Amino acid sequence: MKRVVLILFAIAIIPIVSFAQTSSDTCANANNATPISGPGVFNISDVNGTAPSTICSGGTSVAQNGEWYRYIPSANYFVTVSSNLSQNSGKDTRVQIYSGSCGSLQCVAGNDDVGGSNFLSSTTFSAQAGETYYIAWDNYWNPSSPFGFDFELSETIIPPTVSFTTATISAPGIDRGAVDMNGDSLDDIVSITSSIITVNYQQTNGTFNKVSHSLTGGIYTAGWSMAAGDFDRNGYNDLVYGNSDGAHVVKAKAGGNGYEIAATSHSIFTQRTNFVDFDNDGNLDVFLCDDTAPNEYFINNGSTLTLWEGDDPGAPIAGGLGVYSSGGNYGSVWVDYDSDGDADLFIAKCGGLEERRKNQLFRNNGNLSFTEVSIAANMNDPLSTWSSAWGDYDSDGDMDCFVGSSLTLEPHKLMQNNNGVFADVTASSGLDVFTDKGHENQPFDFNNDGYIDIYSNGNILINDGDGTFTILSSGIPQEGAVGDLNNDGFLDVFNGLIYYNDGNSNNWLKVCLTGTNSNINGIGARIEVSSPSFNNSSSKKAQIRDVRSAEGFAYMSSLNSHFGLGTDTSINTVTVYWPSGTVDVVVNPSINDTLCITEGETLSLESTLENDLILYPNPTKGLLNLNANYGFENAIFSVFDITGKRVLNDRFNSNTIDVSELSSGNYILRVINNGVIKTQKFIKQ
Amino acid sequence: MFKTYTYKSLALIFALVLIASCTKDDGYTDIEAPKISPVTLDLSTVPYETLSEYNFFEGNMADLNPVYGVLPYKIISSLFIDYANAKTFVWMPKDSTAIYVNDYSVLDFPTGSVLVTTHYFENVLPDNTAKMIETRLLIKKESEWIMANYKWNEQQTEATYTTEGSFVNVDLLHDNTEKNVTYKIPNYSECFTCHNKSDVIEPIGTKPQNLNSKLMFNDGLKNQLKKWVEFGYLEDNLPANIVSVVDWQDESQPLDLRVRSYFDINCAHCHSNDGYCNYASMRFEFNKTADISNLGVCVESVFYINPTISHVVKPGVLERSALYFRMNSTEDQYKMPIIGRVQKHDEGLTLIEEWINSLSTDCN
């Protein structure tokens, strides 16, 4: 407490003083000069020394000249170094912050521009007492001498809601993935050229082992997007990626020793790609958005991938999945919007006529049947969007949607899910004032407070948990793949650099899945985490995630499901609703850990064969009625055949189930209601 | 439903032969017989399987010698097509004329019109020969244009209809230096993307502003629009003054006009109100770019590229200008134009570099 008072006092008086501490022309000279040891405003009269050559502010371009300072904090602080001062108005600066020694500088932070038309610089980093930091300004944008300006260094012990520390990594090609590729549950880093797939494998000690896998016959890059999933179930993730000329499905060889092309589409202007088992046969299929034509997909029958476009004659999905003749398909995400246990499809659309750019929502009816429901769901907005971020933003147990606008003049939209019909709650959320636009919108809890945030184009929209959001713009990487790149339970970002989340004291859980009857990644599974503050008996429901490949527009973020727990120090249950229909429940797992669950390994939910659950007529030819004693309103039911395969899945909207499509035989009806499974047998004639 | 011009032509030939005979017999001054175009176009069966079936050219087809009725035209400011060259022709059925709409809109073409564009390379190594790559047709059916693309065979004797995209590798001499070019023949969707005006197919080049220049015809150097009028391909109601683009390569022209002309032909088909990329704020049509904010000058860049890019065009600062970055990139996710080029256009880049460096607008 005493320290806080002192600091506030210091901040109050010091910024007025322009410090006499002078800049040095080299890092070595800064080592011999008096270091900065506290907050203040410092003047650089001319940037005429040696330019820093390690760039932490993004990019690689080195300036002609630089000026150096050494800074040694007296205590642990969050430090902001900023030239964004009124006296510098109109100037264009760039700053790098390092730790280490002059001979071996390590990136800590850096900034080129505050943003927009403001070319001044500001960066915040977490500094440790007694450590030496180097602050290097350069004249990259003002090579003519003299170039002078002021900057301010300020210290605080109040942590920013989210902050990052940068680190360099060698990842040649297009930076796309932060996802586990070798099945050790640690997120790896993936970058792509047409002939080389580079994976930086995360090691248990936090370092990366870089392996360059050459790819024979690759002609398309990951220019527009990449997704990961293990479609051939060999334990190593495969990839799908593409550019405007075509797309490759690339398969990991046995043991993860290299990659080979498994399938190619030469006819697609690729946008978002996804792995998803949309026919629910346990084999991951592939979906590809087409910018200029109807969407394409590969059906995986367990041994081959077969390509279909739109509603090709003979295509297995009648009517296709987005068949507008000139396309306009940008960001597909497979989300269980109606919480009925299967993955539905939302497509963010953009460009051309209003009809072309109206977003689409396809409800998965099972058996490769889809119904486009965007009008009924109030989701067929024609706003120009390249991606959407789906999460339970209001903690009521279903998936809401942030539709990210890509157009300067069109606002973003936050859509609240009310039983499958969406209401525009942008204004009440406070996001109506959020105007940064772009391609990328992803749902992740960056501060581990249990309320899922929105990562949108250089901002984290912090979910305050009360229906409103706080826009966090300072020090946030512009966009990238999101994963836990140092296994500390806080989500990091990869794009060129690694941006390590500085974290906080909140607790967390990561869940990784291995499917047996379901696809091996568990893509499409719904995971529910119940903890003291978030459970279905409280106003904040249990937290939910869908396992998705992928989120946002271009990148492949972690396939581990990441949950912040806030100050909760225990977890009641983790429930996994697998795409196969299997339900696993893990009771009281450890917090601040990674929980890997293999399908079917747990006892599942409490399950009872209900004598009083009466189905009639039984046997039935078409309709199956349930006795009215059961209030199954909105409960999910599944029908399994005698081999245990799920053949039907939906929500009740009356006490009647239509089983006319089923072939004759014995079946089991299962109803999940309030966390309890009830089953009963019936016969289809 | 569709008229069959072959039959109509045959009937006309018969009638004209009769007329020609009469004039001769009467011993008057020898008037050249009005010719009949040998082009065969049956709107109910196009697109034909092969290019030769249309009969646009005579002699060795790869020489592109047009038959009677197939008029060459040349747009003033050329489109960059990966260092290929383009030869363009127009054909219309007998007694039909196009109509002038305004300086900057595509002429209103009559049913049965065909625009014939052939992309080919010159100075192809090892023998410095020409090589035909593809011939693109726009055919005006009753009320709508259709697109048909023909890929030339290796023997250069025939071109065959295709909707598929493919790559052609060519080594050529360009400005006396060897250049390897990967040329992409676009697939149907790509063709449509650039010719798409609110889901309706439209030509791009054949606007009065692009044709109001002189071209050497069989009968001498003539203004193209006047030649079209004279030939009966264009209604004679042209205004006295047509606001026209300039040849972007013509260094005697003002820089801003060259730049605006370059953007019009390379960028405006997508970046317009009815275009594929209508949601981005740029409007590159020549008649809209006197206002340089439509070229992105001082317009903040919406889509993230890298930390240094701030504006679409930041006056005087190439490195902060998304437009320059995109023209200078061959990476799929960045390059502009997004479709229609694989290579970087060095000469175009030089022009745009000069222009951005010449700008001094203060964006604040």
Side-chain angles (χ1 to χ4, degrees):
Chain A
M1 206 56 192
K2 194 174 178 185
R3 186 194 277 162
V4 178
V5 174
L6 279 172
I7 290 155
L8 290 175
F9 180 66
I11 289 171
I13 59 161
I14 285 170
I16 315 161
V17 184
S18 195
F19 264 65
Q21 259 146 338
T22 52
S23 57
S24 303
D25 280 350
T26 64
C27 184
N29 288 356
N31 255 344
N32 297 323
T34 310
I36 298 172
S37 57
V41 175
F42 305 87
N43 176 262
I44 296 174
S45 58
D46 187 18
V47 179
N48 58 6
T50 304
S53 58
T54 301
I55 306 301
C56 323
S57 57
T60 53
S61 305
V62 175
Q64 283 183 18
N65 299 101
E67 290 295 322
W68 297 77
Y69 288 85
R70 186 164 54 126
Y71 164 58
I72 304 174
S74 59
N76 293 349
Y77 288 123
F78 294 96
V79 177
T80 298
V81 174
S82 173
S83 64
N84 190 19
L85 307 170
S86 58
Q87 63 265 42
N88 294 334
S89 175
K91 292 185 178 175
D92 192 344
T93 60
R94 194 169 75 164
V95 67
Q96 321 295 328
I97 313 285
Y98 305 105
S99 61
S101 62
C102 288
S104 170
L105 294 170
Q106 310 294 323
C107 275
V108 170
N111 185 239
D112 187 347
D113 302 323
V114 169
S117 292
N118 184 344
F119 298 113
L120 295 167
S121 316
S122 178
T123 187
T124 299
F125 60 100
S126 168
Q128 306 300 309
E131 282 283 315
T132 297
Y133 296 89
Y134 296 95
I135 301 168
W137 295 89
D138 69 34
N139 66 347
Y140 186 72
W141 299 106
N142 295 271
S144 57
S145 186
F147 174 54
F149 54 90
D150 291 345
F151 74 90
E152 182 176 15
L153 185 148
S154 54
E155 300 170 332
T156 174
I157 59 163
I158 303 159
T161 313
V162 180
S163 66
F164 295 92
T165 298
T166 57
T168 53
I169 179 115
S170 168
I174 299 172
D175 299 337
R176 282 291 173 256
V179 57
D180 177 23
M181 295 297 285
N182 57 352
D184 63 1
S185 86
L186 297 172
D187 288 328
D188 307 312
I189 282 175
V190 186
S191 56
I192 304 283
T193 71
S194 57
S195 58
I196 295 172
I197 293 173
T198 303
V199 183
N200 277 278
Y201 294 97
Q202 186 182 159
Q203 308 295 296
T204 47
N205 65 1
T207 62
F208 289 92
N209 176 31
K210 178 182 163 186
V211 181
S212 300
H213 303 284
S214 63
L215 180 69
T216 304
I219 50 175
Y220 305 127
T221 67
W224 287 111
S225 80
M226 185 189 86
D230 184 7
F231 80 86
D232 64 349
R233 312 186 72 111
N234 71 351
Y236 293 86
N237 271 342
D238 313 303
L239 301 171
V240 55
Y241 55 76
N243 65 11
S244 57
D245 295 316
H248 292 305
V249 180
V250 171
K251 171 180 154 13
K253 295 177 186 170
N257 297 314
Y259 290 85
E260 60 192 349
I261 291 174
T264 294
S265 168
H266 296 289
S267 57
I268 189 164
F269 190 133
T270 318
Q271 298 290 312
R272 175 76 265 173
T273 46
N274 313 91
F275 279 104
V276 56
D277 180 15
F278 51 67
D279 57 1
N280 205 32
D281 65 351
N283 303 308
L284 284 177
D285 310 298
V286 179
F287 182 79
L288 309 99
C289 274
D290 195 325
D291 188 349
T292 62
N295 294 319
E296 299 191 357
Y297 53 90
F298 288 95
I299 296 263
N300 177 6
N301 70 357
S303 56
T304 54
L305 295 171
T306 308
L307 177 65
W308 300 94
E309 180 185 0
D311 53 359
D312 279 349
I317 299 176
L321 292 170
V323 295
Y324 196 86
S325 64
S326 63
N329 307 289
Y330 288 74
S332 47
V333 58
W334 289 82
V335 50
D336 186 6
Y337 88 96
D338 55 357
S339 301
D340 70 348
D342 51 33
D344 312 297
L345 168 64
F346 181 75
I347 307 176
K349 300 197 70 184
C350 189
L353 290 178
E354 190 168 307
E355 272 312 304
R356 182 179 183 268
R357 60 177 199 268
K358 275 184 179 166
N359 298 328
Q360 293 192 295
L361 179 61
F362 291 89
R363 184 183 188 281
N364 190 342
N365 306 316
N367 300 317
L368 284 172
S369 156
F370 291 84
T371 308
E372 209 286 300
V373 296
S374 64
I375 294 175
N378 192 30
M379 288 297 280
N380 77 326
D381 201 303
L383 91 169
S384 305
T385 168
W386 285 41
S387 71
S388 60
W390 290 75
D392 184 11
Y393 300 118
D394 55 2
S395 303
D396 69 346
D398 58 24
M399 292 290 173
D400 311 301
C401 180
F402 178 77
V403 187
S405 166
S406 295
L407 185 56
T408 312
L409 298 174
E410 278 179 355
H412 301 288
K413 285 199 174 164
L414 182 66
M415 305 299 286
Q416 181 181 53
N417 189 343
N418 298 314
N419 287 322
V421 179
F422 290 77
D424 185 344
V425 294
T426 318
S428 62
S429 73
L431 288 176
D432 52 339
V433 300
F434 174 58
T435 54
D436 278 4
K437 304 294 166 57
H439 298 162
E440 291 294 345
N441 302 280
Q442 302 192 61
F444 288 106
D445 183 358
F446 279 93
N447 57 347
N448 283 2
D449 64 352
Y451 301 106
I452 193 162
D453 311 310
I454 301 166
Y455 181 28
S456 178
N457 302 299
N459 305 269
I460 296 175
L461 312 175
I462 296 287
N463 185 343
D464 297 323
D466 60 359
T468 68
F469 289 78
T470 300
I471 302 163
L472 200 65
S473 302
S474 178
I476 310 300
Q478 188 65 31
E479 61 180 47
V482 179
D484 187 356
L485 297 170
N486 55 1
N487 200 29
D488 68 348
F490 287 82
L491 288 168
D492 313 308
V493 178
F494 162 64
N495 185 15
L497 301 164
I498 299 177
Y499 300 83
Y500 286 112
N501 190 329
D502 291 330
N504 56 33
S505 59
N506 284 335
N507 296 316
W508 51 272
L509 176 76
K510 288 194 288 185
V511 180
C512 78
L513 299 184
T514 304
T516 54
N517 292 326
S518 304
N519 68 83
I520 192 168
N521 303 97
I523 291 167
R526 168 69 56 92
I527 303 176
E528 206 176 272
V529 170
S530 175
S531 66
S533 302
F534 302 93
N535 61 73
N536 291 343
S537 309
S538 76
S539 62
K540 304 295 180 189
K541 301 299 179 202
Q543 294 188 59
I544 54 171
R545 300 285 187 272
D546 292 334
V547 182
R548 299 179 193 142
S549 166
E551 307 278 12
F553 177 69
Y555 299 94
M556 180 64 215
S557 295
S558 181
L559 278 167
N560 296 331
S561 294
H562 171 272
F563 295 83
L565 297 170
T567 54
D568 281 357
T569 54
S570 65
I571 295 167
N572 308 334
T573 53
V574 175
T575 307
V576 182
Y577 299 90
W578 295 86
S580 65
T582 305
V583 180
D584 274 297
V585 183
V586 177
V587 180
N588 199 20
S590 309
I591 61 164
N592 299 338
D593 204 352
T594 301
L595 173 66
C596 288
I597 303 171
T598 299
E599 184 174 1
E601 73 175 14
T602 71
L603 289 173
S604 185
L605 296 173
E606 178 192 342
S607 179
T608 52
L609 191 64
E610 298 289 329
N611 291 328
D612 60 344
L613 174 55
I614 299 163
L615 308 178
Y616 63 94
N618 191 3
T620 180
K621 284 181 175 160
L623 295 181
L624 197 60
N625 298 295
L626 280 71
N627 59 327
N629 292 343
Y630 281 92
F632 282 151
E633 200 141 310
N634 264 324
I636 302 170
F637 68 85
S638 307
V639 175
F640 297 85
D641 66 15
I642 48 167
T643 69
K645 184 179 186 319
R646 195 179 81 175
V647 291
L648 201 60
N649 202 57
D650 209 336
R651 277 172 175 276
F652 284 109
N653 45 24
S654 70
N655 277 356
T656 303
I657 301 170
D658 183 355
V659 295
S660 56
E661 297 285 308
L662 300 179
S663 47
S664 317
N666 292 295
Y667 291 93
I668 292 170
L669 171 73
R670 185 187 76 184
V671 182
I672 300 179
N673 197 27
N674 296 325
V676 176
I677 289 180
K678 299 180 194 303
T679 57
Q680 187 54 279
K681 296 174 186 166
F682 70 92
I683 298 168
K684 171 75 195 316
Q685 279 182 326
Chain B
M1 177 94 180
F2 298 113
K3 289 176 190 164
T4 307
Y5 290 98
T6 42
Y7 296 142
K8 196 175 167 187
S9 303
L10 282 173
L12 279 166
I13 288 167
F14 186 62
L16 287 163
V17 166
L18 285 178
I19 295 163
S21 317
C22 294
T23 51
K24 271 188 181 168
D25 285 350
D26 293 348
Y28 289 105
T29 316
D30 190 25
I31 300 171
E32 196 185 341
K35 288 189 187 167
I36 296 303
S37 176
V39 169
T40 54
L41 192 78
D42 176 356
L43 286 184
S44 66
T45 57
V46 291
Y48 302 145
E49 191 52 34
T50 57
L51 180 61
S52 60
E53 288 170 74
Y54 296 90
N55 212 23
F56 292 128
F57 305 107
E58 57 193 9
N60 177 22
M61 192 164 74
D63 293 338
L64 303 182
N65 287 323
V67 299
Y68 180 76
V70 175
L71 279 191
Y73 71 89
K74 189 173 188 308
I75 54 172
I76 294 169
S77 194
S78 60
L79 172 74
F80 177 64
I81 42 176
D82 279 333
Y83 293 101
N85 302 81
K87 269 193 182 163
T88 43
F89 301 91
V90 58
W91 181 84
M92 291 178 215
K94 179 97 180 127
D95 297 330
S96 34
T97 54
I99 299 165
Y100 166 93
V101 180
N102 58 37
D103 296 354
Y104 53 83
S105 294
V106 173
L107 295 168
D108 182 5
F109 282 89
T111 298
S113 300
V114 189
L115 300 171
V116 185
T117 298
T118 302
H119 288 186
Y120 65 100
F121 285 94
E122 282 177 340
N123 304 321
V124 175
L125 298 172
D127 300 325
N128 277 340
T129 46
K131 180 174 182 169
M132 304 294 125
I133 305 292
E134 57 170 329
T135 296
R136 306 173 176 179
L137 304 186
L138 278 166
I139 304 171
K140 182 108 186 252
K141 286 205 171 183
E142 288 290 302
S143 58
E144 56 176 19
W145 291 92
I146 62 159
M147 303 179 299
N149 203 11
Y150 294 83
K151 182 178 179 178
W152 286 76
N153 60 13
E154 272 303 313
Q155 301 88 330
Q156 301 278 288
T157 53
E158 183 61 280
T160 309
Y161 178 73
T162 179
T163 56
E164 307 275 303
S166 57
F167 291 95
V168 180
N169 251 303
V170 184
D171 288 309
L172 62 129
L173 273 186
H174 175 74
D175 281 349
N176 294 319
T177 53
E178 228 175 277
K179 211 172 180 95
N180 175 264
V181 172
T182 304
Y183 178 92
K184 185 174 191 198
I185 295 177
N187 63 37
Y188 185 88
S189 301
E190 289 174 290
C191 296
F192 182 68
T193 301
C194 291
H195 285 282
N196 173 1
K197 288 286 156 199
S198 294
D199 284 358
V200 174
I201 296 168
E202 248 200 28
I204 293 168
T206 47
K207 300 165 183 165
Q209 66 175 20
N210 298 337
L211 296 170
N212 185 26
S213 66
K214 287 182 175 168
L215 183 67
M216 184 58 76
F217 292 92
N218 287 339
D219 52 350
L221 191 66
K222 288 185 175 175
N223 177 287
Q224 301 188 74
L225 292 169
K226 288 182 181 148
K227 172 71 182 181
W228 287 33
V229 170
E230 181 188 306
F231 197 77
Y233 275 1
L234 185 58
E235 200 173 271
D236 190 6
N237 66 342
L238 296 173
N241 194 23
I242 292 172
V243 178
S244 303
V245 304
V246 301
D247 180 355
W248 67 265
Q249 298 178 88
D250 182 353
E251 294 180 11
S252 70
Q253 296 289 341
L255 181 61
D256 65 322
L257 287 185
R258 291 171 61 205
V259 165
R260 289 174 52 202
S261 301
Y262 185 88
F263 286 139
D264 180 274
I265 196 65
N266 284 290
C267 316
H269 33 279
C270 289
H271 289 284
S272 60
N273 289 344
D274 299 318
Y276 155 76
C277 203
N278 59 350
Y279 58 93
S281 67
M282 285 74 72
R283 290 292 177 269
F284 284 112
E285 302 111 306
F286 187 73
N287 63 311
K288 293 193 175 161
T289 48
D291 173 358
I292 56 172
S293 69
N294 280 335
L295 296 174
V297 176
C298 289
V299 174
E300 283 181 13
S301 178
V302 176
F303 291 161
Y304 176 73
I305 295 174
N306 66 45
T308 62
I309 301 288
S310 63
H311 292 80
V312 178
V313 174
K314 172 115 164 80
V317 192
L318 296 177
E319 212 176 338
R320 290 223 184 266
S321 299
L323 185 147
Y324 184 83
F325 181 93
R326 291 184 184 282
M327 285 182 62
N328 194 30
S329 176
T330 53
E331 282 195 72
D332 211 75
Q333 66 275 33
Y334 299 129
K335 72 181 164 87
M336 284 289 162
I338 198 167
I339 287 173
R341 84 165 168 94
V342 178
Q343 326 296 320
K344 224 186 270 189
H345 186 204
D346 296 328
E347 295 79 2
L349 268 170
T350 306
L351 175 75
I352 301 312
E353 176 176 349
E354 191 187 340
W355 172 66
I356 292 177
N357 284 332
S358 77
L359 295 170
S360 56
T361 319
D362 181 357
C363 294
N364 300 313

